Amino acid sequence: MAIIKPFKAVRASRDKVALVSSKSYETYTPAELGAKLDFNPYTFLHVVNPDYKYLQEVSTERRFQLVQNRYADFKRNKIFNQDTIPAFYIYERIDANNTFCGIIGATSIDDYLNNVIKKHEGTIHKRERLFEKYLKIIGFNAEPVLLTFRDDETLKEIINQEKAKNPEYEFSTTDKMLHKLWVVSDENITQNITKAFAKIEALYIADGHHRTASSALLAKDLASENENHNGTEAYNYFMSYLIPESQLKISEFNRFVKDLNGLSVNEFLEKLSLHFVIHNRGQLIYFPDKKHHFSMYLNGEFYSLYLKEDEYTFTNALSKLDSEILFRTVLEPILGVKDLTNNDRVGHSDNKKDVISIKTKVDSGLYTVGFSLTAVTIVELKEIADANLKMPPKTTYIQPKLRSGLTVYEF
């Protein structure tokens, strides 16, 4: 069973929310970030980039303290106010192609530790510790972890009933997205939401593995420091956006390598032929549309690669994943790529941004060869997580991407 609770969010007033909430700061170019910070005094980016106004480098710990100070300023100036009644927050994001709608709530750390909340990516311990330190100093979380769950009729009905009411927020952003948020504070309804999630046997992290792991480290740390710890404290939970799996959108990541590991084009193709049926498509842009089919762009030409399944051994859910197949048959044995995490020979891009990036990045000379894969399915993601396996890095690009500062969870 999954434990999901309402909480008292800290959030902006209706008249300021469009100015306050922002995309994750990593998604902005330096020019975009500078413009936002220069011309919007309300943007949450001022909180997460507090050293901008000082125009100088500061230590990591000092920067974290400045974040906490700027957040306190936002509360002091009534840009942020905390709700007085615990609530769930139904959030809907609409763009030209997709509608995403789910529930923002407080999710149990124990569920994460007990594998009720399942993982499909590995995490880097150094990053976990750094973000735990950040959370401990600032005392809040402003961007929910994206969790998904099997579609549930009870939750669907509750969401639809609440959406029939006027939303608390309704605003558009410059990326042409419409955002709506409903505050659900009626105790009977919040209890029904909690009861509905209690019947769901598993939740799956779609995006936010490091944030979740860091929250778990923080909970353990704060519990050890609290002699009156009883398990009900806010640090025993983390903020999440829970969305039905039917609404989750998973796109593929392309793979790029800067060189052929000393091989000529013909030598490389000869080695590929051990595991793949190869067709030269010339200038015809080819995208794979079946599992275990790959597109390759090399030396100005497209190739289709079809896995010879009698030459490859499937042992578990991970071995069936196309990104793992590419690693086991091409990247590691032929191109000499041993580690995908920190390797300046390897690059990635998601097809959401550029449907022909496999060609443009190679033609630019930045890379020598590029590979395009089919997208991971929700079934594959769950199979990997259920088996306690971990996908290779940069295997999935998952939407929706969430805004920062829309709701803030304090602990």
Side-chain angles (χ1 to χ4, degrees):
M1 60 178 287
I3 302 172
I4 311 295
K5 292 175 55 176
F7 68 101
K8 299 176 183 178
V10 176
R11 54 191 182 85
S13 57
R14 291 180 188 175
D15 63 311
K16 293 185 177 66
V17 64
L19 296 170
V20 172
S21 68
S22 70
K23 295 185 293 185
S24 292
Y25 79 94
E26 298 97 336
T27 66
Y28 294 98
T29 66
E32 289 172 333
L33 187 60
K36 294 283 187 183
L37 292 167
D38 284 338
F39 300 109
N40 181 0
Y42 297 111
T43 177
F44 190 71
L45 294 169
H46 284 295
V47 174
V48 293
N49 292 268
D51 48 334
Y52 179 79
K53 72 175 186 177
Y54 297 101
L55 298 177
Q56 62 184 16
E57 293 292 328
V58 296
S59 68
T60 298
E61 189 163 333
R62 173 60 179 158
R63 185 177 183 277
F64 294 170
Q65 187 60 57
L66 287 172
V67 171
Q68 202 282 328
N69 293 345
R70 290 293 284 148
Y71 175 67
D73 289 342
F74 267 48
K75 292 181 69 177
R76 188 178 302 110
N77 295 327
K78 303 300 181 183
I79 298 172
F80 275 145
N81 295 283
Q82 186 166 30
D83 287 339
T84 57
I85 302 173
F88 286 112
Y89 303 86
I90 295 175
Y91 171 55
E92 183 175 66
R93 200 205 80 181
I94 303 170
D95 60 35
N97 302 308
N98 305 288
T99 296
F100 304 102
C101 188
I103 298 173
I104 298 173
T107 307
S108 170
I109 293 291
D110 282 345
D111 281 353
Y112 174 76
L113 298 175
N114 296 330
N115 208 34
V116 174
I117 298 173
K118 297 177 180 289
K119 306 159 278 289
H120 69 266
E121 289 183 4
T123 53
I124 301 169
H125 189 63
K126 184 177 180 180
R127 285 185 60 190
E128 292 178 19
R129 285 294 183 187
L130 179 63
F131 195 62
E132 181 212 0
K133 184 177 183 180
Y134 174 75
L135 292 175
K136 189 172 184 179
I137 291 174
I138 68 173
F140 67 86
N141 196 319
E143 186 175 323
V145 171
L146 180 61
L147 300 179
T148 191
F149 59 93
R150 61 168 173 78
D151 287 49
D152 181 86
E153 285 301 317
T154 299
L155 289 169
K156 180 179 178 181
E157 183 178 351
I158 292 173
I159 289 173
N160 287 337
Q161 288 174 351
E162 292 303 306
K163 284 174 59 179
K165 305 173 184 177
N166 291 329
E168 173 73 8
Y169 297 153
E170 184 172 6
F171 63 96
S172 295
T173 44
T174 54
D175 51 7
K176 298 181 179 179
M177 293 182 185
L178 175 63
H179 306 267
K180 297 181 181 181
L181 183 136
W182 291 262
V183 179
V184 183
S185 57
D186 182 281
E187 188 172 357
N188 290 329
I189 300 173
T190 59
Q191 286 181 356
N192 288 338
I193 291 173
T194 296
K195 289 176 183 177
F197 275 113
K199 296 178 182 178
I200 294 176
E201 62 280 0
L203 305 174
Y204 296 83
I205 300 176
D207 193 15
H209 285 78
H210 279 93
R211 278 174 285 149
T212 312
S214 299
S215 295
L217 289 175
L218 178 66
K220 181 179 179 181
D221 190 15
L222 293 180
S224 67
E225 296 175 359
N226 182 6
E227 60 182 22
N228 297 315
H229 171 81
N230 58 29
T232 64
E233 296 86 357
Y235 58 71
N236 295 292
Y237 297 83
F238 63 96
M239 183 171 64
S240 64
Y241 179 51
L242 300 116
I243 189 169
E245 62 186 43
S246 63
Q247 292 189 32
L248 205 66
K249 184 175 182 181
I250 308 176
S251 301
E252 66 275 23
F253 264 101
N254 298 324
R255 298 279 196 267
F256 301 91
V257 184
K258 289 187 175 181
D259 58 76
L260 297 182
N261 198 28
L263 300 171
S264 68
V265 170
N266 286 337
E267 289 171 335
F268 177 59
L269 291 173
E270 183 178 348
K271 289 182 177 293
L272 280 181
S273 66
L274 175 64
H275 284 291
F276 298 94
V277 175
I278 305 172
H279 296 288
N280 187 326
R281 304 278 179 158
Q283 296 299 307
L284 181 64
I285 296 175
Y286 168 72
F287 292 104
D289 58 3
K290 293 182 179 179
K291 291 295 178 184
H292 313 331
H293 287 192
F294 303 83
S295 173
M296 180 176 74
Y297 187 71
L298 172 67
N299 204 29
E301 296 180 310
F302 280 93
Y303 295 81
S304 58
L305 308 179
Y306 301 155
L307 181 69
K308 296 178 181 178
E309 296 192 8
D310 57 346
E311 297 290 340
Y312 181 85
T313 302
F314 296 107
T315 55
N316 56 22
L318 179 61
S319 69
K320 299 175 184 177
L321 206 63
D322 282 349
S323 58
E324 183 71 8
I325 291 171
L326 186 69
F327 179 75
R328 293 186 185 187
T329 61
V330 182
L331 299 183
E332 184 178 36
I334 301 177
L335 295 178
V337 176
K338 305 295 183 183
D339 181 11
L340 289 170
T341 304
N342 295 299
N343 195 321
D344 58 9
R345 291 178 60 216
V346 180
H348 311 84
S349 75
D350 59 89
N351 270 353
K352 174 182 176 291
K353 295 178 181 176
D354 179 2
V355 294
I356 58 169
S357 65
I358 189 175
K359 173 176 168 57
T360 57
K361 286 184 180 291
V362 173
D363 284 348
S364 72
L366 185 61
Y367 298 99
T368 298
V369 62
F371 302 91
S372 183
L373 298 70
T374 58
V376 171
T377 67
I378 186 63
V379 172
E380 289 177 312
L381 185 151
K382 291 170 68 174
E383 285 178 345
I384 294 289
D386 288 341
N388 292 316
L389 299 170
K390 302 294 182 289
M391 293 183 186
K394 299 295 185 182
T395 293
T396 58
Y397 181 88
I398 297 180
Q399 294 185 79
K401 296 299 181 185
L402 304 177
R403 295 184 73 76
S404 294
L406 187 67
T407 57
V408 178
Y409 180 78
E410 293 187 344
F411 40 81

